[in-house]
Amino acid sequence: MSDAPADVTLATPLTRLVGVRHPLVQTGMGWVAGPRLVSAAANAGALGILASATMTVEQLRAAVREVAARTDAPFGVNLRADAGDAADRVRVIVEEGVRVASFALAPSRELIARLKDAGVVVVPSVGARRHAEKVAAWGADAVIVQGGEGGGHTGEVATGVLLPQVVDAVDIPVVAAGGFRDGRGLVAALAYGAAGIAMGTRFLLTSDSTVPDAVKARYLAATVKDTTVTTAVDGLPHRMLRSELVDALERSGRAAALLRAVRHAAAFQRETGMSWRRMVRDGLAMKHGKDLTWSQFLLAANTPMLLKGSMVDGRTDLGVMAAGQVAGLIDDLPSCAELVARVMAEAHATLHALPAAD
Ligand SMILES: Cc1cc2nc3c(=O)[nH]c(=O)nc-3n(C[C@H](O)[C@H](O)[C@H](O)COP(=O)(O)O)c2cc1C
């Protein structure tokens, strides 16, 4: 590995599509992927993606400008298509010249069209083949496909099964996510036909991430069996570190869960300056076409508030810690520059160590 060139590069359909140096993506993570992490990832040659669901539209604009002031490299913004103000967020992305838009959960055809008309590269995240096929038909430029071992909202099918399934199903570049942290993983994903890898947990655990040290320490101490998938936070399967809080959420009855959800909805409203009218409108948008009950809509406010408790306030007892299984394999906090250089050098060494075909 030591004889690897100082700046190893691997050109793929992802690097060509987006204009980044390396086929690596730092994904949008609520409260975690802010201007500091995103600009550090972008300066390291990866595609950094700002998480916007936990920001107001004004905060998003300010964050985009802050990243642009810190890097000349392309970067992206992650948004929720079901937010009542999604169109305003798209306007910010277009007006500020952001290169890439990624979507948390289901995107909408209309927003994809609007972004593409403005020349923004659209890269939704999906967790199932049929979703990849749908967004490809709607004109998405690439997809990030997340296997079940990934952190945050996640599906059931593991990356090793889902990735080749999606690669075979769509003609657009596929970026592999869920369980990646090193150069071997990058080469494995490329061998499956992916155009690169996207990493959440690995970028959260860098010295450039603003997550409080006490919280990072919990991730570093985790083994591969210390994450769990729970629906107790917001009704959707969510992979996070097992903690006393998660156990308590799972044990608590429906009434307690709803009471907590109402409290969090009120706190989220204060935090984001969002009016109750807007929250109700967002709730209706979320419910639209889905089988969501009002209690599920209220539960949705749990995610940002419980994530903030740990990721911003540093309270592992009051906040949840979304995490991929790969947390169990990570035991250091490199800078983004160190991480990216290391992953690319490992990929280079791995490629050269493969048995030669003849
Ligand atoms: C703390 C945390 C917060 C996350 N928040 C979001 C989010 O706001 N939007 C989104 O699309 N994905 C979110 N995710 C999922 C990641 O973007 C990414 O797909 C996932 O972490 C990949 O799996 P890995 O953790 O094994 O690398 C989050 C993941 C984590 C760990």
Side-chain angles (χ1 to χ4, degrees):
M1 215 174 289
S2 53
D3 59 353
D7 190 11
V8 180
T9 56
L10 272 173
T12 73
L14 175 69
T15 60
R16 287 189 283 274
L17 176 68
V18 180
V20 285
R21 211 155 66 239
H22 302 301
L24 303 174
V25 178
Q26 164 260 304
T27 60
M29 292 173 277
W31 303 114
V32 177
R36 189 166 115 189
L37 181 63
V38 173
S39 55
N43 281 327
L47 176 67
I49 299 183
L50 264 176
S52 85
T54 46
M55 297 175 185
T56 63
V57 175
E58 294 70 35
Q59 285 167 342
L60 171 61
R61 192 183 291 276
V64 166
R65 289 185 177 169
E66 194 178 334
V67 178
R70 291 174 182 222
T71 183
D72 292 330
F75 63 95
V77 167
N78 179 261
L79 69 158
R80 289 184 64 132
D82 57 13
D85 56 5
D88 299 335
R89 289 165 191 268
V90 165
R91 194 168 322 118
V92 170
I93 290 171
V94 171
E95 285 172 2
E96 299 295 326
V98 173
R99 183 86 186 103
V100 174
S102 85
F103 286 93
L105 307 176
S108 84
R109 180 181 209 150
E110 188 203 340
L111 290 181
I112 291 180
R114 206 172 305 163
L115 286 159
K116 288 209 50 166
D117 283 350
V120 180
V121 176
V122 178
V123 187
S125 284
V126 298
R129 183 190 60 187
R130 65 178 194 288
H131 295 150
E133 289 169 340
K134 188 157 90 176
V135 298
W138 287 351
D141 297 287
V143 280
I144 295 176
V145 51
Q146 178 175 328
E149 56 267 65
H153 289 127
T154 202
E156 281 174 35
V157 184
T159 302
V161 174
L162 185 62
L163 176 59
Q165 189 193 26
V166 172
V167 166
D168 288 346
V170 297
D171 291 329
I172 53 177
V174 175
V175 180
F180 294 99
R181 70 178 166 122
D182 64 9
R184 287 175 301 180
L186 171 58
V187 172
L190 296 178
Y192 271 125
I197 54 171
M199 298 182 283
T201 306
R202 179 61 275 194
F203 275 103
L204 183 156
L205 292 170
T206 59
S207 56
D208 295 304
S209 130
T210 53
V211 171
D213 288 344
V215 177
K216 286 180 180 170
R218 284 291 288 265
Y219 281 80
L220 293 176
T223 73
V224 290
K225 293 178 83 173
D226 287 337
T227 68
T228 184
V229 176
T230 180
T231 55
V233 173
D234 62 7
L236 298 173
H238 213 146
R239 187 177 291 283
M240 54 191 56
L241 291 187
R242 211 185 289 278
S243 67
E244 280 173 21
L245 174 66
V246 174
D247 288 346
L249 289 173
E250 290 197 320
R251 273 197 316 269
S252 71
R254 202 176 151 71
L258 281 183
L259 202 65
R260 187 182 320 105
V262 171
R263 258 198 349 259
H264 283 141
F268 190 56
Q269 186 232 355
R270 277 197 307 276
E271 186 74 36
T272 58
M274 203 189 268
S275 68
W276 281 105
R277 225 171 114 225
R278 160 134 281 165
M279 284 190 74
V280 170
R281 231 177 41 217
D282 279 14
L284 286 169
M286 271 178 78
K287 277 163 65 63
H288 180 72
K290 295 179 204 128
D291 216 6
L292 285 185
T293 59
W294 278 107
S295 61
Q296 280 172 305
F297 156 62
L298 275 176
L299 284 175
N302 271 338
T303 297
M305 291 324 292
L306 286 174
L307 211 49
K308 177 172 180 282
S310 50
M311 300 303 153
V312 179
D313 304 334
R315 296 290 302 264
T316 56
D317 54 338
L318 296 180
V320 297
M321 293 165 279
Q325 286 180 334
V326 74
L329 299 180
I330 296 174
D331 55 13
D332 62 354
L333 297 170
S335 67
C336 286
E338 287 162 348
L339 173 65
V340 168
R342 187 206 292 172
V343 169
M344 295 311 297
E346 286 165 352
H348 181 268
T350 304
L351 279 170
H352 285 83
L354 290 176
D358 53 15

